[in-house]
């Protein structure tokens, strides 16, 4: 991708399409759990609109069912989503020339999935990268809200969602995104080393640390490995 590449909102929408099945499956499951926790359709819609985080919404629903106080839910969600600081920091150089408001709006809708797509698409030399990112983010967010509401409305009719393989959709999507990035970059030794460091770092950290902290540890180790091998 050269420095003259111009991106568009429509292209961002198109580039989001491969991730939609992952959003749909996990969002559907989140809607089912949230409805089971006693949340109304309006509450589920607002939760998916403003919180917009799969793991955090599952945790919120579980803590609501357990009768946890609001303060403890907020603190727990904050720590679970700390990885978004790393995701935002990684993409920030691509949007350094845009206003703080645009960066805020882009960052507020950033997810693991949209980060994966953006990391493989952007290199800092694109024009209108903000429009492309808005197209990517808005499409993903709208699909997530719809999936949550569908899960709340019709999830009770499906007795065993795992029978249809829906629980494999999200990891399969991430494997596909990683494979796409590696094949596009064609730096196989470095990328495979970074992937191995991420997986190994997570596996070791998970022995002693909570899952969300282990994810951050694996990401930091992978970033260090990438920076060292590049230099």
């Amino acid at each position: 991708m050269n420095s003259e590449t111009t991106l568009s909102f429509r292209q961002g929408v198109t580039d989001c399409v491969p991730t939609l099945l992952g959003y749909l499956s996990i969002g559907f499951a989140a809607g089912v759990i949230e409805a089971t926790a006693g949340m109304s359709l309006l509450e589920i819609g607002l939760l998916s609109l403003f919180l917009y985080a799969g793991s955090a919404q599952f945790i919120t629903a579980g803590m609501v069912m357990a009768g946890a106080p609001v303060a403890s839910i907020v603190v727990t969600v904050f720590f679970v989503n700390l990885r978004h600081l790393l995701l935002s920091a990684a993409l920030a150089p691509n949007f350094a020339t845009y206003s703080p408001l645009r960066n805020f709006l882009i960052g507020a809708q950033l997810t693991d999935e949209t980060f994966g797509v953006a990391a493989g698409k952007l290199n800092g030399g694109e024009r209108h990268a903000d429009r492309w990112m808005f197209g990517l983010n808005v499409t993903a967010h709208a699909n997530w809200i719809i999936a949550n509401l569908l899960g709340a409305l019709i999830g009770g009719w499906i007795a065993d969602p795992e029978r249809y393989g829906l629980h494999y959709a999200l990891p399969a999507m991430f494997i596909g995104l990683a494979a796409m990035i590696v094949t596009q970059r064609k730096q196989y030794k470095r990328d495979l080393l970074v992937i191995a460091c991420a997986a190994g770092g997570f596996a070791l950290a998970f022995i002693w640390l909570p899952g969300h902290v282990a994810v951050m540890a694996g990401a930091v180790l992978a970033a260090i490995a990438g920076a060292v091998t590049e230099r």
Side-chain angles (χ1 to χ4, degrees):
M1 189 175 294
N2 58 54
S3 59
E4 299 300 321
T5 299
T6 300
L7 300 178
S8 66
F9 182 91
R10 179 179 294 183
Q11 190 173 354
V13 173
T14 302
D15 289 339
C16 187
V17 170
T19 71
L20 295 186
L21 180 59
Y23 279 103
L24 186 61
S25 61
I26 300 303
F28 189 91
V32 173
I33 298 300
E34 289 156 356
T36 303
M39 296 183 186
S40 68
L41 199 61
L42 176 60
E43 289 171 332
I44 292 172
L46 292 174
L47 193 67
S48 57
L49 175 64
F50 292 109
L51 181 53
Y52 186 33
S55 57
Q57 288 182 221
F58 280 112
I59 290 171
T60 298
M63 295 182 74
V64 167
M65 282 192 287
V70 174
S72 64
I73 295 176
V74 171
V75 171
T76 302
V77 167
F78 172 77
F79 282 106
V80 167
N81 282 343
L82 271 178
R83 70 187 185 281
H84 286 275
L85 295 176
L86 297 176
L87 304 184
S88 299
L91 291 184
N94 297 293
F95 303 96
T97 60
Y98 298 105
S99 68
L101 177 60
R102 284 180 179 265
N103 276 277
F104 171 78
L105 294 175
I106 290 171
Q109 287 189 302
L110 185 67
T111 66
D112 299 312
E113 295 83 359
T114 55
F115 170 81
V117 176
K121 185 78 171 183
L122 304 177
N123 63 10
E126 299 82 9
R127 296 178 58 198
H128 303 314
D130 58 331
R131 299 179 186 178
W132 177 85
M133 197 70 192
F134 281 131
L136 178 72
N137 283 342
V138 169
T139 305
H141 201 169
N143 186 65
W144 176 256
I145 295 171
I146 292 171
N148 271 254
L149 295 177
L150 285 176
L153 287 170
I154 64 177
W157 299 350
I158 302 178
D160 185 14
E162 292 190 1
R163 178 181 177 185
Y164 301 97
L166 292 178
H167 56 305
Y168 288 111
L170 194 64
M173 182 197 67
F174 277 115
I175 292 171
L177 288 174
M180 180 179 66
I181 293 172
V182 170
T183 54
Q184 286 177 348
R185 284 164 48 87
K186 300 186 184 303
Q187 299 179 17
Y188 300 110
K189 289 184 179 180
R190 180 186 301 164
D191 289 345
L192 292 176
L193 173 63
V194 169
I195 291 172
C197 288
F202 169 78
L204 289 174
F206 190 65
I207 298 175
W208 299 283
L209 300 172
H212 61 279
V213 179
V215 168
M216 295 184 65
V220 170
L221 181 61
I224 293 172
V228 170
T229 54
E230 185 173 1
R231 293 188 178 185

